Amino acid sequence: MPDLDRIVQDIAAEMRARPDRGAVASYIPELARVDAQGFGLAVIDGDGRIAAGGDADTPFSIQSISKVFTLTLALGMVGDRLWRRVGREPSGSPFNSIVQLERENGIPRNPFINAGAIAVTDVILSGHQPREALGEILRFMQFVAQDDSITIDERVAASEKRTGFRNAALANYMRSFDVIENPVDYTLGVYFHHCAIAMTCRQLATAGLFLAYSGHHPLAGHSVISGERARRINAIMLTCGHYDGSGDFAYRVGLPGKSGVGGGILAVAPGKASICVWSPGLDAAGNSHLGRIALEMLVKRTGWSIFGV
Ligand code: GLN
């Protein structure tokens, strides 16, 4: 077993000192206020042993990382029927691309680009009031993170609602194909709010454990989903979790991972650990710049890449 405490401390120290930090997301005004100096890393294994470094206990906006958990919930609700409304191929396009949606008749490429995640949110919303659907998502996050104190940052949600014109365009376009069934405002409201959930690296790493252990959550003591479903979600994280940077992330890190524009990345080392890293500066594809570099270092030292040592 690698000396995780040592490795995590070394990485946190090195990342703190690096001058290249990427650029904080500015299209959501509330996220533009976040200090680019933050860096946190948490690694948790199936026995609940945790190695944490830097700002691992600072809450940040989980943004698109929430899409892993909404996908899990939607699959639980409608099973494979979900794939009638959203594909599961990498997009090769930016996370908020509009042009691909027109070419493909309103069916988003995968559940992790914005259009796909909005369609998934719409599935969770159907038959419920927005407040109930959001409550369901938040309670699920609290359960898998084993922490009832997790909340939504209402300022981030409001900020995105005020400026989310592109997401509104995607949602309206999908509505015209009946890929979205509910009033667009309701679906977007739930989507913006689940993206605005605030969590720490420690909480998110804990939340990802069921994906690292074949659907079984070792700390909750029972299964969240089947092993087959966990394996499939991990596959979509690997191929689509970093948008048009997914190939590069697989090449450099070699773990299923999901990024968010808040600067977080959740990564899954099957059978080994669940990992969350946070650094708010992003690269050109909207993925955490230092987050990816830190994971690359972690995988090099642990030999955890799914592609071999
Ligand atoms: N809430 C963000 C958006 O819809 C999520 C994008 C992301 O994290 N990549 O634009």
Side-chain angles (χ1 to χ4, degrees):
M1 190 66 185
D3 181 355
L4 281 179
D5 280 317
R6 173 82 273 133
I7 295 172
V8 165
Q9 295 313 324
D10 286 354
I11 294 173
E14 195 169 327
M15 292 300 120
R16 271 232 173 280
R18 277 181 79 126
D20 56 321
R21 307 199 77 84
V24 171
S26 57
Y27 75 99
I28 301 175
E30 202 60 32
L31 293 185
R33 295 157 38 119
V34 176
D35 181 4
Q37 291 307 309
F39 178 87
L41 176 60
V43 183
I44 182 162
D45 71 12
D47 296 322
R49 274 191 302 256
I50 183 154
D55 307 312
D57 292 308
T58 302
F60 61 90
S61 193
I62 70 170
Q63 291 297 317
S64 288
I65 301 173
S66 61
K67 297 171 182 176
V68 174
F69 300 92
T70 49
L71 172 63
T72 305
L73 274 176
L75 283 170
M77 288 167 148
V78 302
D80 284 342
R81 275 183 294 143
L82 184 71
W83 304 120
R84 294 185 196 157
R85 288 222 237 162
V86 59
R88 42 175 195 266
E89 290 295 341
S91 69
S93 304
F95 63 86
N96 54 7
S97 171
I98 291 178
V99 62
Q100 196 164 49
L101 202 54
E102 175 161 27
R103 265 196 256 107
E104 298 180 3
N105 300 323
I107 306 282
R109 268 290 170 98
N110 68 64
F112 292 155
I113 52 171
N114 285 10
I118 293 167
V120 168
T121 301
D122 189 71
V123 168
I124 297 174
L125 177 57
S126 285
H128 301 93
Q129 291 301 315
R131 190 177 297 276
E132 294 166 353
L134 195 56
E136 187 82 8
I137 296 167
L138 185 61
R139 277 191 299 278
F140 183 57
M141 288 305 315
Q142 292 171 337
F143 168 67
V144 286
Q146 295 281 288
D147 191 335
D148 288 345
S149 71
I150 293 164
T151 53
I152 293 168
D153 185 332
E154 289 291 343
R155 279 176 318 163
V156 172
S159 180
E160 190 165 0
K161 194 168 184 186
R162 265 198 312 278
T163 55
F165 305 113
R166 236 171 209 271
N167 286 324
L170 293 168
N172 278 292
Y173 194 71
M174 288 188 287
R175 184 76 185 80
S176 76
F177 286 93
D178 295 324
V179 171
I180 298 278
E181 292 175 343
N182 295 285
V184 165
D185 279 354
Y186 285 14
T187 302
L188 284 175
V190 176
Y191 171 79
F192 292 144
H193 279 81
H194 74 62
C195 287
I197 293 173
M199 289 171 74
T200 66
C201 288
R202 192 185 294 266
Q203 289 166 336
L204 259 176
T206 306
L209 273 173
F210 72 96
L211 293 169
Y213 291 93
S214 306
H216 180 80
H217 196 307
L219 302 188
H222 61 87
S223 283
V224 178
I225 51 174
S226 68
E228 178 181 68
R229 186 157 287 165
R231 193 171 70 238
R232 290 174 164 174
I233 293 171
N234 285 338
I236 300 170
M237 287 173 76
L238 183 82
T239 51
C240 310
H242 283 71
Y243 314 112
D244 45 342
S246 298
D248 195 54
F249 187 81
Y251 177 83
R252 291 175 187 275
V253 177
L255 294 177
K258 183 73 206 81
S259 68
V261 288
I265 302 175
L266 173 65
V268 174
K272 305 273 192 320
S274 171
I275 306 149
C276 181
V277 62
W278 169 63
S279 173
L282 308 178
D283 62 19
N287 302 314
S288 176
H289 172 69
L290 289 186
R292 195 265 297 149
I293 293 172
L295 286 171
E296 203 174 348
M297 289 173 66
L298 180 76
V299 160
K300 231 175 235 167
R301 287 185 58 178
T302 55
W304 283 351
S305 165
I306 62 169
F307 300 110
V309 286

